[in-house]
Amino acid sequence: MLQSLASLIGLICLVFFLVRMTGNPADLYLPENATQEVREEFAIRHGLNDPILVQFGRFAMQLACLDLGDSMRQAGRQSILSSRPTRRP
């Protein structure tokens, strides 16, 4: 049990830091011609200006509450869990 918990915590850390290592999320989600002002607003809205440990703490707390956040791809700040399909084919 304790070994499984340690593995889960390690996996959560690995996923978080690997995602952050791929680059600035603003560069990944915004169009190439987005202005610097739009990029700064995106970073502020998603908490990307905070130190990495603050971002990780927020990520871990939200994950513990099963809050996967708002979709960065869906318009209108839709919750990730509410955007999943409700029926299976």
Coordinates of all heavy atoms in Angstrom, one line a residue:
M1 N 0.8 -1.2 0.0 CA 0.0 0.0 0.0 C 0.9 1.3 0.0 O 0.6 2.2 -0.8 CB -0.9 0.0 1.2 CG -1.7 1.2 1.5 SD -3.1 1.3 0.3 CE -3.9 2.7 0.9
L2 N 1.8 1.3 0.9 CA 2.7 2.5 1.0 C 3.6 2.6 -0.3 O 3.8 3.7 -0.7 CB 3.6 2.3 2.2 CG 4.4 3.5 2.6 CD1 3.5 4.7 2.9 CD2 5.3 3.2 3.8
Q3 N 4.0 1.5 -0.8 CA 4.8 1.5 -2.1 C 3.9 2.0 -3.2 O 4.4 2.8 -4.1 CB 5.3 0.1 -2.4 CG 6.3 0.1 -3.5 CD 6.9 -1.3 -3.6 OE1 6.3 -2.3 -3.2 NE2 8.1 -1.3 -4.3
S4 N 2.6 1.7 -3.3 CA 1.7 2.2 -4.3 C 1.5 3.7 -4.2 O 1.5 4.4 -5.2 CB 0.4 1.5 -4.2 OG 0.5 0.1 -4.5
L5 N 1.4 4.1 -3.0 CA 1.2 5.6 -2.7 C 2.5 6.4 -3.2 O 2.4 7.4 -3.8 CB 0.9 5.8 -1.3 CG 0.6 7.3 -0.9 CD1 -0.6 7.8 -1.6 CD2 0.5 7.4 0.6
A6 N 3.6 5.8 -2.8 CA 4.9 6.5 -3.3 C 5.0 6.5 -4.8 O 5.4 7.5 -5.4 CB 6.1 5.7 -2.6
S7 N 4.6 5.4 -5.4 CA 4.6 5.4 -6.9 C 3.7 6.4 -7.5 O 4.0 7.1 -8.5 CB 4.2 4.0 -7.4 OG 5.2 3.0 -7.0
L8 N 2.5 6.5 -6.9 CA 1.5 7.5 -7.4 C 2.0 8.9 -7.2 O 1.9 9.7 -8.2 CB 0.2 7.3 -6.6 CG -1.0 8.2 -7.1 CD1 -1.3 8.0 -8.5 CD2 -2.2 8.0 -6.2
I9 N 2.6 9.2 -6.1 CA 3.1 10.6 -5.9 C 4.3 10.8 -6.9 O 4.4 11.9 -7.4 CB 3.6 10.7 -4.4 CG1 2.4 10.8 -3.5 CG2 4.4 12.0 -4.2 CD1 2.7 10.7 -2.0
G10 N 5.1 9.8 -7.1 CA 6.2 10.0 -8.1 C 5.7 10.2 -9.5 O 6.2 11.1 -10.2
L11 N 4.6 9.5 -9.8 CA 4.0 9.7 -11.1 C 3.4 11.1 -11.3 O 3.5 11.7 -12.4 CB 3.0 8.6 -11.4 CG 2.3 8.6 -12.7 CD1 3.3 8.4 -13.9 CD2 1.1 7.6 -12.8
I12 N 2.7 11.6 -10.3 CA 2.1 12.9 -10.3 C 3.2 14.0 -10.5 O 3.1 14.9 -11.3 CB 1.3 13.2 -9.0 CG1 0.1 12.3 -9.0 CG2 1.0 14.6 -8.9 CD1 -0.7 12.3 -7.7
C13 N 4.3 13.8 -9.8 CA 5.5 14.8 -9.9 C 6.1 14.7 -11.3 O 6.3 15.7 -11.9 CB 6.5 14.5 -8.9 SG 6.1 14.8 -7.2
L14 N 6.2 13.5 -11.8 CA 6.8 13.3 -13.1 C 6.0 13.9 -14.2 O 6.5 14.7 -15.1 CB 7.0 11.8 -13.4 CG 7.6 11.5 -14.7 CD1 9.1 11.9 -14.8 CD2 7.5 10.0 -15.0
V15 N 4.7 13.7 -14.1 CA 3.7 14.3 -15.1 C 3.8 15.8 -15.1 O 3.9 16.5 -16.1 CB 2.3 13.7 -14.9 CG1 1.3 14.5 -15.7 CG2 2.2 12.3 -15.3
F16 N 3.7 16.3 -13.9 CA 3.7 17.8 -13.8 C 4.9 18.4 -14.3 O 4.9 19.4 -15.1 CB 3.5 18.2 -12.3 CG 3.6 19.7 -12.1 CD1 2.4 20.5 -12.3 CD2 4.7 20.3 -11.7 CE1 2.5 21.8 -12.1 CE2 4.8 21.7 -11.5 CZ 3.7 22.5 -11.7
F17 N 6.1 17.9 -13.9 CA 7.3 18.6 -14.4 C 7.6 18.3 -15.8 O 8.2 19.1 -16.5 CB 8.5 18.2 -13.4 CG 8.3 18.8 -12.1 CD1 8.0 18.1 -11.0 CD2 8.5 20.2 -11.9 CE1 7.8 18.7 -9.7 CE2 8.4 20.8 -10.7 CZ 8.0 20.1 -9.6
L18 N 7.2 17.1 -16.4 CA 7.4 16.9 -17.8 C 6.6 17.8 -18.6 O 7.0 18.3 -19.7 CB 7.2 15.4 -18.1 CG 8.2 14.4 -17.8 CD1 7.8 13.0 -18.1 CD2 9.5 14.7 -18.5
V19 N 5.4 18.1 -18.2 CA 4.5 19.0 -18.9 C 5.1 20.4 -18.9 O 5.1 21.1 -19.9 CB 3.1 19.0 -18.3 CG1 2.3 20.1 -18.9 CG2 2.4 17.7 -18.6
R20 N 5.7 20.8 -17.8 CA 6.3 22.1 -17.7 C 7.6 22.2 -18.5 O 7.9 23.3 -19.0 CB 6.6 22.5 -16.3 CG 5.3 22.7 -15.4 CD 4.4 23.7 -16.0 NE 3.3 24.1 -15.2 CZ 2.1 23.5 -15.2 NH1 1.8 22.5 -16.0 NH2 1.1 24.0 -14.4
M21 N 8.2 21.1 -18.7 CA 9.5 21.1 -19.5 C 9.3 21.2 -21.0 O 10.2 21.5 -21.7 CB 10.3 19.9 -19.1 CG 10.9 19.9 -17.8 SD 11.7 18.4 -17.3 CE 12.9 18.1 -18.7
T22 N 8.1 21.0 -21.4 CA 7.8 21.0 -22.9 C 7.8 22.4 -23.4 O 7.8 22.6 -24.6 CB 6.5 20.4 -23.2 OG1 5.4 21.0 -22.6 CG2 6.5 18.9 -22.9
G23 N 7.8 23.4 -22.5 CA 7.8 24.8 -22.9 C 6.7 25.6 -22.3 O 6.0 25.1 -21.4
N24 N 6.6 26.8 -22.7 CA 5.6 27.7 -22.1 C 4.2 27.3 -22.7 O 4.0 27.3 -23.9 CB 5.9 29.2 -22.6 CG 5.0 30.2 -22.0 OD1 4.1 29.8 -21.3 ND2 5.3 31.4 -22.3
P25 N 3.3 27.0 -21.8 CA 1.9 26.6 -22.3 C 1.3 27.7 -23.1 O 0.5 27.4 -24.0 CB 1.1 26.4 -21.0 CG 2.2 26.0 -20.0 CD 3.4 26.8 -20.4
A26 N 1.6 28.9 -22.9 CA 1.0 30.0 -23.7 C 1.5 29.8 -25.2 O 0.7 30.0 -26.1 CB 1.5 31.4 -23.2
D27 N 2.7 29.4 -25.4 CA 3.2 29.2 -26.7 C 2.6 28.0 -27.4 O 2.4 27.9 -28.6 CB 4.7 29.0 -26.7 CG 5.5 30.3 -26.3 OD1 4.9 31.4 -26.5 OD2 6.6 30.1 -25.8
L28 N 2.2 27.0 -26.5 CA 1.6 25.8 -27.1 C 0.1 25.9 -27.4 O -0.4 25.3 -28.4 CB 1.8 24.6 -26.1 CG 3.2 24.3 -25.7 CD1 3.2 23.2 -24.6 CD2 3.9 23.7 -26.9
Y29 N -0.6 26.7 -26.7 CA -2.1 26.8 -26.8 C -2.5 28.1 -27.6 O -3.6 28.0 -28.1 CB -2.8 26.8 -25.4 CG -2.7 25.4 -24.8 CD1 -1.8 25.2 -23.8 CD2 -3.5 24.4 -25.3 CE1 -1.7 23.9 -23.2 CE2 -3.4 23.1 -24.7 CZ -2.6 22.9 -23.7 OH -2.5 21.7 -23.2
L30 N -1.7 29.1 -27.6 CA -2.1 30.3 -28.3 C -1.6 30.3 -29.7 O -0.6 29.7 -30.0 CB -1.6 31.6 -27.6 CG -2.2 31.8 -26.2 CD1 -1.5 33.0 -25.5 CD2 -3.7 32.0 -26.3
P31 N -2.3 31.0 -30.7 CA -1.8 31.1 -32.0 C -0.4 31.8 -32.1 O -0.1 32.6 -31.2 CB -2.8 31.8 -32.8 CG -3.8 32.3 -31.8 CD -3.5 31.7 -30.5
E32 N 0.3 31.5 -33.1 CA 1.7 32.1 -33.2 C 1.6 33.6 -33.3 O 2.6 34.3 -32.9 CB 2.4 31.5 -34.5 CG 2.8 30.1 -34.4 CD 3.5 29.6 -35.6 OE1 4.0 30.4 -36.4 OE2 3.5 28.4 -35.8
N33 N 0.6 34.2 -33.9 CA 0.5 35.6 -34.0 C -0.2 36.3 -32.8 O -0.5 37.5 -32.9 CB -0.3 36.0 -35.3 CG -1.7 35.4 -35.3 OD1 -2.1 34.7 -34.4 ND2 -2.5 35.8 -36.3
A34 N -0.3 35.6 -31.7 CA -0.9 36.2 -30.5 C 0.1 37.3 -30.0 O 1.3 37.1 -30.0 CB -1.1 35.2 -29.4
T35 N -0.5 38.4 -29.5 CA 0.3 39.5 -29.0 C 0.9 39.2 -27.6 O 0.4 38.3 -26.9 CB -0.5 40.8 -28.9 OG1 -1.5 40.6 -27.9 CG2 -1.1 41.2 -30.2
Q36 N 1.9 39.9 -27.2 CA 2.5 39.7 -25.9 C 1.5 40.0 -24.8 O 1.5 39.3 -23.8 CB 3.7 40.6 -25.8 CG 4.5 40.4 -24.5 CD 5.1 39.0 -24.4 OE1 5.4 38.4 -25.4 NE2 5.2 38.5 -23.2
E37 N 0.6 40.9 -25.0 CA -0.5 41.2 -24.1 C -1.4 40.0 -23.8 O -1.7 39.7 -22.7 CB -1.3 42.4 -24.6 CG -2.0 43.3 -23.6 CD -2.6 44.5 -24.2 OE1 -1.8 45.5 -24.3 OE2 -3.7 44.4 -24.6
V38 N -1.8 39.4 -24.9 CA -2.6 38.2 -24.8 C -1.9 37.1 -24.1 O -2.5 36.4 -23.3 CB -3.1 37.7 -26.2 CG1 -3.8 36.4 -26.2 CG2 -4.0 38.8 -26.9
R39 N -0.6 36.9 -24.4 CA 0.2 35.9 -23.7 C 0.3 36.1 -22.2 O 0.2 35.2 -21.4 CB 1.6 35.8 -24.3 CG 1.6 35.3 -25.8 CD 3.0 35.3 -26.3 NE 3.0 34.9 -27.7 CZ 2.8 33.7 -28.2 NH1 2.6 32.7 -27.4 NH2 2.8 33.5 -29.5
E40 N 0.5 37.4 -21.8 CA 0.6 37.7 -20.4 C -0.8 37.5 -19.7 O -0.8 37.0 -18.6 CB 1.0 39.2 -20.3 CG 2.5 39.4 -20.6 CD 2.9 40.9 -20.6 OE1 2.1 41.7 -20.1 OE2 4.0 41.2 -21.0
E41 N -1.9 37.8 -20.4 CA -3.2 37.6 -19.8 C -3.4 36.1 -19.6 O -4.0 35.7 -18.6 CB -4.3 38.2 -20.7 CG -5.7 38.0 -20.2 CD -6.7 38.6 -21.1 OE1 -6.4 39.6 -21.8 OE2 -7.8 38.0 -21.2
F42 N -3.0 35.3 -20.6 CA -3.2 33.8 -20.5 C -2.4 33.3 -19.3 O -2.9 32.5 -18.6 CB -2.7 33.2 -21.8 CG -2.8 31.7 -21.9 CD1 -3.9 31.1 -22.3 CD2 -1.7 30.9 -21.5 CE1 -4.0 29.7 -22.4 CE2 -1.8 29.6 -21.6 CZ -2.9 29.0 -22.0
A43 N -1.1 33.8 -19.2 CA -0.3 33.3 -18.1 C -0.9 33.7 -16.7 O -0.9 32.9 -15.8 CB 1.1 33.9 -18.2
I44 N -1.4 34.9 -16.6 CA -2.0 35.3 -15.4 C -3.3 34.5 -15.1 O -3.5 34.0 -14.0 CB -2.3 36.8 -15.4 CG1 -1.0 37.6 -15.4 CG2 -3.2 37.2 -14.2 CD1 -1.2 39.1 -15.7
R45 N -4.1 34.3 -16.1 CA -5.4 33.6 -15.9 C -5.1 32.1 -15.5 O -5.9 31.6 -14.7 CB -6.2 33.6 -17.2 CG -7.5 32.9 -17.0 CD -8.4 32.9 -18.2 NE -8.2 34.0 -19.1 CZ -8.0 33.9 -20.5 NH1 -8.0 32.7 -21.0 NH2 -7.8 34.9 -21.2
H46 N -4.1 31.5 -16.0 CA -3.8 30.1 -15.6 C -2.7 29.9 -14.6 O -2.3 28.8 -14.3 CB -3.4 29.4 -16.9 CG -4.5 29.3 -17.9 ND1 -5.6 28.5 -17.7 CD2 -4.8 29.9 -19.0 CE1 -6.4 28.6 -18.7 NE2 -6.0 29.5 -19.5
G47 N -2.3 31.0 -13.9 CA -1.3 31.0 -12.8 C 0.1 30.6 -13.3 O 0.8 30.0 -12.5
L48 N 0.5 30.8 -14.5 CA 1.8 30.4 -15.0 C 2.9 31.4 -14.6 O 4.0 31.1 -14.9 CB 1.7 30.3 -16.5 CG 0.7 29.3 -17.0 CD1 0.6 29.3 -18.5 CD2 1.0 27.9 -16.5
N49 N 2.5 32.5 -14.0 CA 3.5 33.5 -13.6 C 4.0 33.2 -12.2 O 5.0 33.8 -11.7 CB 3.0 34.9 -13.6 CG 2.8 35.5 -15.0 OD1 3.4 35.0 -15.9 ND2 2.0 36.5 -15.1
D50 N 3.3 32.3 -11.5 CA 3.8 31.9 -10.1 C 5.0 31.0 -10.2 O 5.3 30.4 -11.2 CB 2.6 31.2 -9.4 CG 1.4 32.0 -9.3 OD1 1.5 33.2 -9.2 OD2 0.3 31.5 -9.2
P51 N 5.7 31.0 -9.1 CA 6.9 30.1 -9.0 C 6.5 28.6 -9.2 O 5.3 28.3 -8.9 CB 7.5 30.3 -7.6 CG 6.9 31.6 -7.2 CD 5.6 31.8 -7.9
I52 N 7.4 27.8 -9.8 CA 7.0 26.4 -10.1 C 6.5 25.6 -9.0 O 5.6 24.8 -9.1 CB 8.2 25.7 -10.8 CG1 7.8 24.5 -11.5 CG2 9.3 25.5 -9.9 CD1 7.1 24.7 -12.8
L53 N 7.0 25.8 -7.8 CA 6.6 25.1 -6.6 C 5.2 25.5 -6.2 O 4.4 24.7 -5.7 CB 7.6 25.2 -5.4 CG 8.9 24.5 -5.6 CD1 9.8 24.8 -4.4 CD2 8.7 23.1 -5.9
V54 N 4.8 26.8 -6.4 CA 3.5 27.2 -6.1 C 2.5 26.6 -7.1 O 1.4 26.1 -6.8 CB 3.4 28.8 -6.2 CG1 1.9 29.2 -6.1 CG2 4.2 29.4 -5.1
Q55 N 2.9 26.5 -8.4 CA 2.1 25.9 -9.4 C 1.9 24.4 -9.1 O 0.8 23.9 -9.2 CB 2.8 26.0 -10.8 CG 2.8 27.4 -11.3 CD 3.5 27.5 -12.7 OE1 3.3 26.6 -13.5 NE2 4.3 28.5 -12.9
F56 N 3.0 23.7 -8.6 CA 2.9 22.3 -8.3 C 1.9 22.1 -7.1 O 1.1 21.2 -7.1 CB 4.2 21.7 -8.0 CG 4.1 20.3 -7.6 CD1 3.9 19.3 -8.6 CD2 4.3 19.9 -6.3 CE1 3.8 18.0 -8.2 CE2 4.2 18.5 -5.9 CZ 3.9 17.6 -6.9
G57 N 2.0 23.0 -6.1 CA 1.2 22.9 -4.9 C -0.3 23.0 -5.3 O -1.2 22.3 -4.8
R58 N -0.6 24.0 -6.2 CA -1.9 24.2 -6.6 C -2.4 23.0 -7.4 O -3.5 22.5 -7.3 CB -2.0 25.5 -7.5 CG -3.4 25.9 -7.9 CD -3.4 27.1 -8.8 NE -2.6 28.2 -8.3 CZ -1.6 28.7 -8.9 NH1 -1.2 28.3 -10.1 NH2 -0.9 29.7 -8.4
F59 N -1.5 22.5 -8.3 CA -1.9 21.3 -9.1 C -2.2 20.1 -8.2 O -3.2 19.4 -8.4 CB -0.7 21.0 -10.0 CG -0.8 19.7 -10.7 CD1 -1.6 19.5 -11.8 CD2 0.0 18.6 -10.3 CE1 -1.7 18.3 -12.5 CE2 -0.1 17.4 -11.0 CZ -0.9 17.3 -12.1
A60 N -1.4 19.9 -7.2 CA -1.6 18.7 -6.3 C -2.9 18.9 -5.5 O -3.6 17.9 -5.3 CB -0.4 18.6 -5.3
M61 N -3.2 20.1 -5.0 CA -4.4 20.3 -4.2 C -5.6 20.1 -5.1 O -6.6 19.5 -4.7 CB -4.4 21.7 -3.6 CG -3.4 21.9 -2.5 SD -3.6 20.8 -1.1 CE -5.2 21.4 -0.5
Q62 N -5.6 20.6 -6.3 CA -6.7 20.5 -7.2 C -6.9 19.0 -7.6 O -8.0 18.5 -7.7 CB -6.5 21.3 -8.4 CG -6.7 22.8 -8.2 CD -6.4 23.7 -9.4 OE1 -5.7 23.2 -10.3 NE2 -6.9 24.9 -9.4
L63 N -5.8 18.3 -7.8 CA -5.9 16.9 -8.1 C -6.5 16.1 -6.9 O -7.3 15.2 -7.2 CB -4.5 16.4 -8.5 CG -4.4 15.0 -9.1 CD1 -5.2 14.9 -10.3 CD2 -3.0 14.6 -9.3
A64 N -6.1 16.5 -5.7 CA -6.6 15.8 -4.5 C -8.2 16.0 -4.4 O -8.9 15.1 -3.9 CB -5.9 16.3 -3.3
C65 N -8.6 17.1 -4.9 CA -10.1 17.4 -4.9 C -10.8 17.0 -6.2 O -11.9 17.3 -6.4 CB -10.3 18.9 -4.7 SG -9.7 19.5 -3.1
L66 N -10.1 16.2 -7.0 CA -10.6 15.8 -8.3 C -11.0 17.0 -9.2 O -11.9 16.8 -10.1 CB -11.7 14.8 -8.2 CG -11.4 13.5 -7.4 CD1 -12.6 12.7 -7.3 CD2 -10.3 12.8 -8.1
D67 N -10.3 18.1 -9.0 CA -10.6 19.3 -9.9 C -9.5 19.3 -10.9 O -8.3 19.7 -10.6 CB -10.5 20.5 -9.0 CG -10.7 21.8 -9.8 OD1 -11.0 21.7 -11.1 OD2 -10.6 22.9 -9.3
L68 N -9.8 18.9 -12.1 CA -8.8 18.8 -13.2 C -8.7 20.2 -13.9 O -7.9 20.3 -14.9 CB -9.1 17.7 -14.2 CG -9.2 16.3 -13.5 CD1 -9.5 15.3 -14.6 CD2 -7.9 16.0 -12.8
G69 N -9.4 21.2 -13.4 CA -9.2 22.5 -14.0 C -10.1 22.8 -15.2 O -11.0 22.0 -15.5
D70 N -9.9 23.9 -15.8 CA -10.7 24.3 -17.0 C -9.9 23.9 -18.2 O -8.7 23.9 -18.2 CB -10.9 25.8 -17.0 CG -11.7 26.3 -15.8 OD1 -12.6 25.5 -15.4 OD2 -11.4 27.4 -15.3
S71 N -10.6 23.6 -19.2 CA -10.0 23.2 -20.5 C -9.4 24.4 -21.2 O -10.0 25.5 -21.3 CB -11.0 22.6 -21.4 OG -10.5 22.4 -22.7
M72 N -8.1 24.3 -21.5 CA -7.4 25.4 -22.2 C -7.8 25.4 -23.7 O -7.7 26.4 -24.4 CB -5.9 25.3 -22.1 CG -5.4 25.6 -20.7 SD -3.6 25.5 -20.7 CE -3.3 25.7 -19.0
R73 N -8.3 24.3 -24.2 CA -8.7 24.2 -25.6 C -10.1 24.5 -25.9 O -10.5 25.0 -27.0 CB -8.4 22.8 -26.1 CG -6.9 22.5 -26.2 CD -6.6 21.1 -26.7 NE -5.2 20.8 -26.6 CZ -4.4 20.6 -27.7 NH1 -5.0 20.7 -28.9 NH2 -3.2 20.4 -27.5
Q74 N -11.0 24.3 -25.0 CA -12.4 24.5 -25.1 C -12.7 26.0 -24.9 O -12.2 26.6 -23.9 CB -13.3 23.7 -24.2 CG -13.1 22.2 -24.3 CD -13.8 21.7 -25.5 OE1 -14.8 22.2 -26.0 NE2 -13.3 20.6 -26.1
A75 N -13.5 26.6 -25.7 CA -13.9 28.0 -25.4 C -14.9 28.1 -24.2 O -15.6 27.2 -24.0 CB -14.6 28.5 -26.7
G76 N -14.8 29.1 -23.5 CA -15.7 29.4 -22.4 C -15.3 28.8 -21.1 O -16.2 28.6 -20.2
R77 N -14.1 28.4 -20.9 CA -13.6 27.9 -19.6 C -14.5 26.8 -19.1 O -15.0 26.8 -18.0 CB -13.4 29.0 -18.6 CG -12.4 30.0 -19.0 CD -12.3 31.1 -17.9 NE -11.9 30.6 -16.6 CZ -10.7 30.4 -16.1 NH1 -9.7 30.8 -16.8 NH2 -10.5 29.9 -14.9
Q78 N -14.6 25.7 -19.9 CA -15.4 24.6 -19.5 C -14.6 23.6 -18.7 O -13.4 23.4 -18.9 CB -15.8 23.9 -20.8 CG -16.7 22.7 -20.6 CD -17.1 22.1 -21.9 OE1 -16.6 22.4 -23.0 NE2 -18.1 21.2 -21.9
S79 N -15.2 23.1 -17.6 CA -14.5 22.1 -16.7 C -14.1 20.9 -17.5 O -14.8 20.4 -18.4 CB -15.4 21.7 -15.6 OG -14.8 20.7 -14.9
I80 N -12.9 20.3 -17.2 CA -12.5 19.1 -17.9 C -13.4 17.9 -17.6 O -13.8 17.2 -18.6 CB -11.0 18.7 -17.4 CG1 -10.0 19.8 -17.7 CG2 -10.6 17.3 -17.9 CD1 -9.7 19.9 -19.1
L81 N -13.9 17.7 -16.4 CA -14.7 16.6 -16.1 C -16.1 16.8 -16.8 O -16.7 15.8 -17.2 CB -14.9 16.4 -14.6 CG -13.7 15.9 -13.9 CD1 -13.9 15.8 -12.4 CD2 -13.3 14.5 -14.5
S82 N -16.6 18.0 -16.9 CA -17.9 18.2 -17.6 C -17.8 18.1 -19.1 O -18.8 17.9 -19.8 CB -18.5 19.5 -17.2 OG -17.7 20.6 -17.8
S83 N -16.6 18.1 -19.7 CA -16.5 18.0 -21.1 C -16.3 16.6 -21.6 O -16.2 16.3 -22.8 CB -15.3 18.9 -21.6 OG -14.1 18.4 -21.1
R84 N -16.1 15.6 -20.7 CA -16.0 14.2 -21.1 C -17.3 13.7 -21.6 O -18.4 14.1 -21.2 CB -15.4 13.4 -20.0 CG -16.4 13.3 -18.8 CD -15.7 12.4 -17.7 NE -16.5 12.5 -16.5 CZ -17.6 11.9 -16.2 NH1 -18.1 11.0 -17.1 NH2 -18.3 12.0 -15.1
P85 N -17.2 12.7 -22.5 CA -18.5 12.1 -23.0 C -19.2 11.4 -21.9 O -18.7 10.8 -21.0 CB -18.0 11.1 -24.0 CG -16.5 11.2 -24.1 CD -16.0 12.2 -23.1
T86 N -20.5 11.5 -21.9 CA -21.4 10.9 -20.9 C -21.9 9.5 -21.3 O -22.2 8.7 -20.5 CB -22.6 11.8 -20.6 OG1 -23.3 12.1 -21.8 CG2 -22.2 13.1 -20.0
R87 N -21.9 9.3 -22.6 CA -22.3 7.9 -23.1 C -21.2 7.3 -23.8 O -20.4 7.9 -24.5 CB -23.6 8.1 -23.9 CG -24.8 8.6 -23.2 CD -26.0 8.5 -23.9 NE -26.0 8.9 -25.3 CZ -26.9 8.7 -26.2 NH1 -28.0 8.1 -25.8 NH2 -26.8 9.2 -27.4
R88 N -21.2 6.0 -23.8 CA -20.3 5.2 -24.6 C -20.9 4.7 -25.8 O -22.1 4.4 -25.8 CB -19.7 4.0 -23.8 CG -18.9 4.5 -22.6 CD -18.4 3.3 -21.9 NE -17.6 3.9 -20.7 CZ -17.1 3.1 -19.8 NH1 -17.2 1.8 -19.9 NH2 -16.5 3.6 -18.8
P89 N -20.2 4.6 -26.9 CA -20.8 4.1 -28.2 C -21.1 2.6 -28.1 O -20.7 1.9 -27.3 CB -19.7 4.3 -29.2 CG -18.4 4.7 -28.5 CD -18.8 5.0 -27.1

